[in-house]
Every structure is written in C-alpha cells, then in structure tokens.
Amino acid sequence: LFDYDLALDLYYFTTLWKDRKRVLKKKELEIFTRDCGSKIDLLNLQWIYRAKKYYEMTAADIYSLLIPIHYKISTELIKELAEASNIEEFYAAVRRTSYTRHYDFEQNLTIEQMYSDCLYHLYTVDRRRNPYSIATVNTYLFLKEEELKKLTTALECIRYGLSPGETLAYVGGRTQ
C-alpha cells in the first residue's frame, strides 16, 4: 500500500504543479503557487524527518520518497537534509529554511504540528489578503483536511483505549 500511496502522491503533486499555469492566471496563479509550493516543501521536510527518525533510511531511499518539486527549499538544502547523519544535523539544516520564521524549535511540537502550523498561517494570511480569490477555497479545503485528520486520530485513540490526555496530545500535536 505504501508504494501505491507514494505513486499517487507523486502523480497528484506533479500534475497539479504542471497544470496550474494552464488553468490559473496572474494573482490566482501566484497565490496557488505559494500555497501548493509551500505544502510540497513542508511535506518533503516531514517525509525526510520520518525517514531519518523512524526508519533510518539511506539518503538514496529518501530521495525516492520526495516530491521532485522545490519551491523555497533549494536542491542543495534538500540534499543536505536527506544526507544529515542525525536528527540534530537535520534540525540545523531546517533552521536555514524560510519556514522556520513560523516555527519555534524550543516548543514541544511534533513535525506534523509544524507542518500544520506553517500551512495554517500561510492559508489564513492569504485568505485575509485576498478574500475573493482561490485563497478562500484553498483555506477551506485545508481546514477540512485538518478536521478530518483530527477526527480520524480521535477515533483511532478511542479504538486503542488511550487516555483523554494522550488523545489530546495526538489530536493537538502537543505532547504532555
């Protein structure tokens, strides 16, 4: 299932990235490119982190997981992230990305919460600045996706009999 999921993700994002210029014009294109590009960058960061921390994958295997689109994170920095020898080196490289302005590494948040927080900030700012554009649709879809993730997580926590505190940690992303 993992291989199928990966293939579908790669196809989805590469097709979306290629077709955006054909469908959207000017301001809409700029907003969508910023939103989609940031989401891809943050997903790549998340996948590199998980591959290093939980699966101890080699750099070559990590490269096969990544979406081959680089918005604000350069190819050199992606290479440095994938080839980091430990999590501390990974975090040092992540601190050099533009996404760290929205994330405090001293907080006790998971990488998934960093992803959600950065995208939430990006989408809400875009929606406020451009209320009658594609930004409103992007924000709505993002918020619905986050709501579904939280509901699924809560149901899984109940299924496995976790305490309310543990469930809140998983749903909110904050460890207690």
Side-chain angles (χ1 to χ4, degrees):
L1 288 177
F2 176 76
D3 292 335
Y4 294 127
D5 186 43
L6 180 62
L8 287 172
D9 281 343
L10 292 176
Y11 177 75
Y12 169 74
F13 284 111
T14 54
T15 303
L16 191 68
W17 193 254
K18 281 189 253 178
D19 290 347
R20 77 188 194 289
K21 289 183 181 175
R22 187 174 48 84
V23 176
L24 301 170
K25 303 292 182 235
K26 295 185 183 177
K27 189 68 174 172
E28 302 281 322
L29 177 62
E30 178 188 323
I31 292 167
F32 187 80
T33 300
R34 182 174 47 245
D35 291 349
C36 187
S38 296
K39 184 173 186 167
I40 291 169
D41 281 348
L42 290 166
L43 275 174
N44 280 338
L45 282 175
Q46 188 175 3
W47 291 346
I48 293 170
Y49 173 81
R50 288 178 177 174
K52 293 203 136 323
K53 182 166 183 175
Y54 301 116
Y55 303 107
E56 298 174 8
M57 295 173 75
T58 64
D61 292 334
I62 292 173
Y63 291 133
S64 68
L65 299 174
L66 302 180
I67 301 166
I69 297 166
H70 307 291
Y71 177 61
K72 286 187 176 180
I73 300 178
S74 68
T75 307
E76 294 80 26
L77 189 53
I78 288 287
K79 182 179 177 186
E80 187 177 331
L81 289 162
E83 295 176 0
S85 60
N86 56 36
I87 295 299
E88 287 75 29
E89 278 186 37
F90 172 81
Y91 278 135
V94 169
R95 283 187 180 94
R96 294 199 323 268
T97 67
S98 63
Y99 300 106
T100 56
R101 286 179 290 165
H102 310 293
Y103 181 68
D104 180 13
F105 281 93
E106 303 308 316
Q107 293 178 3
N108 200 13
L109 301 178
T110 62
I111 195 82
E112 291 81 8
Q113 189 64 35
M114 175 191 167
Y115 168 82
S116 295
D117 288 352
C118 286
L119 286 180
Y120 179 81
H121 175 77
L122 175 75
Y123 285 126
T124 54
V125 167
D126 278 350
R127 188 189 68 200
R128 259 183 273 129
R129 290 181 184 159
N130 306 290
Y132 303 108
S133 69
I134 196 167
T136 303
V137 175
N138 285 345
T139 304
Y140 177 78
L141 293 174
F142 169 75
L143 292 174
K144 286 299 164 191
E145 185 179 323
E146 290 298 304
E147 184 179 352
L148 287 173
K149 284 181 190 174
K150 288 180 180 182
L151 285 171
T152 303
T153 302
L155 288 173
E156 288 175 349
C157 289
I158 291 167
R159 176 181 176 200
Y160 293 113
L162 297 181
S163 70
E166 290 173 311
T167 302
L168 284 174
Y170 281 111
V171 171
R174 286 169 172 69
T175 56
Q176 297 179 355

